[in-house]
Amino acid sequence: MCIDFTDLNRACPKDSYPLPKIDKLVDSTAGHELLSFMDAFSGYHQISLAAEDQEKTSFVVDTGLYCYTMMPFGLKNAGATCQRLVNKVFEPLIGKTMEVYVDDMITKSVEENDHAQDLEETFKLLRAYVMKLNPKKCSFGVKSGKFLGYMIDQRGIEPIPIRYKQSFECDRPQT
């Protein structure tokens, strides 16, 4: 199902809450012995809409009129709202044992022995705010992995190569 929020987005003022700079987040993860990469399950859909705003997301189907109770995809300020939430939730850990970009999270440990405790702190906050992870997109206690378009390991970062098929064959007749 696809809902057009063009009119609603046009009526809403822009939320200029800043997203973190990807290069700084990625740079701050290099040099850590163990990493855990996490992805929030259905990202924006875990954020409740205020009761007074739910009717603004209404849509009609054959069986009646419905409204979203959780933030739908396609709203103008969804990214800023999500970033504000994760910054609030993980504020005690960001920049120390954790980095967060919207719904992508990484727990990082300089020492391998500290990783279980660092993850426990992350999970404590996830439980307190009833945030769910997508297990298919999570990797725990690994030495390297993908984060925001980069491969990260203890030595540093590398861009993930783009895979494409390139053909160099010519259609010219052979002589």
Side-chain angles (χ1 to χ4, degrees):
M1 178 172 77
C2 182
I3 298 176
D4 184 3
F5 290 119
T6 302
D7 291 338
L8 177 60
N9 285 337
R10 197 175 294 131
C12 291
K14 171 86 171 118
D15 181 352
S16 48
Y17 190 84
L19 294 176
K21 294 183 183 278
I22 292 175
D23 58 332
K24 287 187 178 187
L25 291 181
V26 171
D27 287 344
S28 74
T29 61
H32 291 79
E33 281 191 23
L34 277 186
L35 307 163
S36 288
F37 300 90
M38 296 161 280
D39 186 81
F41 185 76
S42 296
Y44 307 151
H45 299 295
Q46 292 190 53
I47 302 172
S48 297
L49 287 178
E52 64 271 16
D53 292 333
Q54 291 176 6
E55 70 180 45
K56 297 170 185 161
T57 65
S58 64
F59 56 95
V60 178
V61 295
D62 293 342
T63 57
L65 178 74
Y66 294 90
C67 301
Y68 279 94
T69 58
M70 306 302 271
M71 185 177 295
F73 181 78
L75 293 181
K76 177 181 190 175
N77 294 316
T81 301
C82 192
Q83 188 65 48
R84 183 180 284 111
L85 173 70
V86 295
N87 283 353
K88 178 184 174 189
V89 169
F90 299 109
E91 188 269 331
L93 305 180
I94 291 175
K96 299 170 186 88
T97 61
M98 194 169 186
E99 301 299 341
V100 183
Y101 187 90
V102 186
D103 63 347
D104 292 313
M105 301 166 254
I106 185 169
T107 295
K108 55 189 185 172
S109 303
V110 175
E111 299 292 329
E112 191 171 324
N113 294 337
D114 296 334
H115 200 65
Q117 178 61 40
D118 294 340
L119 271 177
E120 181 56 39
E121 292 173 3
T122 300
F123 291 145
K124 190 183 301 181
L125 292 172
L126 286 166
R127 282 190 297 275
Y129 288 89
V130 194
M131 290 183 69
K132 295 174 178 63
L133 298 176
N134 182 352
K136 292 179 181 176
K137 292 185 174 182
C138 295
S139 301
F140 297 101
V142 296
K143 300 267 185 195
S144 67
K146 296 178 197 174
F147 186 60
L148 303 175
Y150 294 89
M151 277 304 287
I152 300 172
D153 63 22
Q154 189 176 16
R155 293 183 318 256
I157 61 171
E158 300 174 11
I160 298 173
I162 299 171
R163 294 183 183 181
Y164 60 93
K165 184 176 181 180
Q166 188 174 14
S167 174
F168 294 100
E169 296 178 15
C170 296
D171 291 334
R172 291 182 290 189
Q174 302 255 339
T175 55

